[in-house]
Amino acid sequence: ATCYSLKMSETQQIPTEEVQLEIYLSNGQKVKVNILTSDQTEDVLEAVASKLDLPDELVGYFSLFLVQERGDGGCTYVRKLQEFELPYVSITSLHSPDYRIVLRKSYWDTAYDSDVMDDRVGLNLLYAQVTVSWFKRYSVWSIKQKVFIRLAQTLKYYGYIKFDPCITDFPEKGCHVIVGAGNNELNFHVKLPSDQMKEGSFKVTRMRCWRVTSSVPVANGTANPSSSSKCDVKLELAFEYLMSKDRLQWVTITSPQAIMMSICLQSMVDELMVKKSGGSIKKMQKKRLNGSFQRSDSQQVVKSPPLLDSPDPSREQVVKLSTKLSSVSLRGLSSSNSASDISGNDFHGNYSFEGIGDDDL
């Protein structure tokens, strides 16, 4: 967020006018929509849905993401665009053709795929996203869309967002790791200092809380944010995890994508809470009252945390899940010998690392 946010004074200098904004689909196709520079994320999302003829009840299944194209043909997910953002301002302020806004599904539970596939446009959007992820492994052109998606759903990492290689302190400090977010968990593919390759997962329902912190390099004993370039800012995601009964441990990930990881965790919790309350992730109905939006009761329980917390321990804010997940059971509480307990020693076990090589880390 530090690298991509705008000061309020900068946004106020941008006049409100009609512009054309390009939104990309997962397969590289783009949709041009006419919007206002002052339109927020939800307004732009609705404009894209209207252009694609996506039904209103399916709009809530999709979101807009800021993505950076890499030189190797891949892409890096920077973050999900937040409701208060002005997408046109966010993308144009970066002054780089490497960034684009991408439409993709925003849910984690694969059961929702059935809702999306019942509609022709929804099916095409989901198919485009899935084929981009898996077309190198399978010949998809002769397979019907729904059949192929059902096949893809059986794969281990279906629906996961894969992040760029980064650093973690688990199971040892300084480990290189590829983090994946999906299936209500963070999955770690770790390269240990001994060059061993291991895999493990951290379930969101066992995370008591998490935080994102930023820091700047220290010169002459003092940090001077004003003299540091934006790229010098270090972002860390740390979460407190229930390793076993009565044993919590902090796990830290150092990555420029820490905020995106935090947003993924938050959306997983939001989805669990909505399902637990019997709500729906379908498009939220909004009503304008005195210029403000009101949402249904089922959505009011879901509130996003601050994106960045202060690195100053005395002012540190933590996103606590104990209240959010009070009705969601925490695994491992009943027995310290639970099969789902994880520890540093467990993480050193014989985990499969199929498809991950040294070049990926």
Side-chain angles (χ1 to χ4, degrees):
T2 304
C3 294
Y4 307 104
S5 60
L6 283 176
K7 295 179 181 178
M8 183 61 69
S9 59
E10 293 175 335
T11 61
Q12 290 174 343
Q13 294 173 2
I14 298 175
T16 298
E17 57 186 4
E18 187 171 332
V19 294
Q20 193 173 71
L21 183 64
E22 292 182 346
I23 306 295
Y24 287 79
L25 306 183
S26 297
N27 60 2
Q29 292 182 320
K30 59 185 177 182
V31 179
K32 295 181 178 180
V33 291
N34 294 320
I35 63 166
L36 296 178
T37 54
S38 58
D39 279 347
Q40 295 184 335
T41 299
E42 188 174 3
D43 301 315
V44 176
L45 181 60
E46 289 177 351
V48 176
S50 177
K51 190 72 175 283
L52 295 173
D53 291 327
L54 183 69
D56 286 349
E57 61 269 20
L58 292 183
V59 176
Y61 291 79
F62 295 88
S63 292
L64 300 176
F65 293 81
L66 181 63
V67 172
Q68 183 180 20
E69 298 295 312
R70 299 196 306 263
D72 61 1
C75 65
T76 296
Y77 283 92
V78 179
R79 56 189 166 83
K80 176 182 174 182
L81 296 186
Q82 300 299 287
E83 294 179 3
F84 59 81
E85 279 194 72
L86 312 183
Y88 176 80
V89 176
S90 295
I91 193 70
T92 56
S93 65
L94 296 173
H95 305 293
S96 172
D98 295 336
Y99 293 91
R100 58 177 58 177
I101 297 176
V102 174
L103 176 74
R104 59 166 285 146
K105 72 174 188 177
S106 59
Y107 56 88
W108 302 98
D109 191 336
T110 57
Y112 290 126
D113 284 349
S114 297
D115 296 341
V116 175
M117 289 192 294
D118 284 342
D119 175 75
R120 175 185 57 83
V121 177
L123 174 61
N124 289 337
L125 290 174
L126 186 59
Y127 181 73
Q129 183 173 325
V130 173
T131 53
V132 165
S133 299
W134 301 105
F135 79 98
K136 291 183 179 179
R137 303 187 185 187
Y138 299 92
S139 176
V140 304
W141 310 117
S142 61
I143 304 177
K144 291 184 178 180
Q145 288 177 314
K146 286 189 178 181
V147 174
F148 176 73
I149 292 174
R150 295 300 185 196
L151 172 64
Q153 287 175 339
T154 65
L155 299 174
K156 184 175 181 180
Y157 299 113
Y158 173 78
Y160 280 65
I161 291 180
K162 179 182 175 183
F163 297 98
D164 294 344
C166 52
I167 303 294
T168 182
D169 65 354
F170 190 91
E172 300 178 31
K173 288 186 177 180
C175 290
H176 291 262
V177 61
I178 292 178
V179 179
N183 193 29
N184 296 323
E185 68 179 20
L186 289 183
N187 177 265
F188 278 25
H189 284 174
V190 178
K191 182 178 182 179
L192 302 176
S194 62
D195 287 339
Q196 288 181 291
M197 311 295 283
K198 304 297 177 183
E199 178 187 357
S201 295
F202 299 91
K203 291 291 184 181
V204 69
T205 49
R206 300 185 67 179
M207 295 180 188
R208 190 182 74 88
C209 56
W210 75 82
R211 63 174 177 243
V212 177
T213 57
S214 64
S215 60
V216 294
V218 176
N220 299 324
T222 18
N224 187 0
S226 60
S227 64
S228 256
S229 68
K230 290 182 179 180
C231 294
D232 288 334
V233 176
K234 182 175 74 173
L235 293 176
E236 290 184 342
L237 169 69
F239 56 88
E240 193 174 20
Y241 195 77
L242 184 69
M243 297 293 180
S244 60
K245 182 180 179 181
D246 300 326
R247 189 172 77 86
L248 291 162
Q249 179 177 335
W250 282 96
V251 177
T252 301
I253 305 167
T254 302
S255 167
Q257 295 177 283
I259 294 171
M260 180 62 188
M261 294 179 190
S262 174
I263 292 174
C264 289
L265 291 177
Q266 181 64 46
S267 61
M268 290 176 190
V269 173
D270 291 349
E271 191 172 303
L272 286 171
M273 291 302 298
V274 170
K275 289 184 66 176
K276 194 69 178 180
S277 65
S280 170
I281 65 171
K282 292 183 179 180
K283 180 175 177 290
M284 294 177 292
Q285 299 298 317
K286 62 181 183 180
K287 300 178 181 178
R288 294 183 181 271
L289 290 176
N290 299 323
S292 61
F293 293 137
Q294 282 195 344
R295 302 194 175 177
S296 63
D297 292 339
S298 64
Q299 297 293 343
Q300 290 176 359
V301 299
V302 177
K303 297 182 179 179
S304 297
L307 289 183
L308 269 183
D309 298 325
S310 169
D312 181 356
S314 64
R315 296 187 293 117
E316 192 172 80
Q317 299 179 13
V318 176
V319 182
K320 293 188 180 294
L321 301 190
S322 56
T323 53
K324 283 181 173 291
L325 296 178
S326 58
S327 57
V328 179
S329 61
L330 289 176
R331 298 183 184 180
L333 283 176
S334 58
S335 171
S336 60
N337 295 322
S338 169
S340 61
D341 290 349
I342 186 171
S343 68
N345 291 332
D346 294 333
F347 211 83
H348 283 265
N350 295 320
Y351 292 89
S352 171
F353 229 74
E354 183 179 355
I356 303 296
D358 287 351
D359 292 339
D360 295 316
L361 289 167

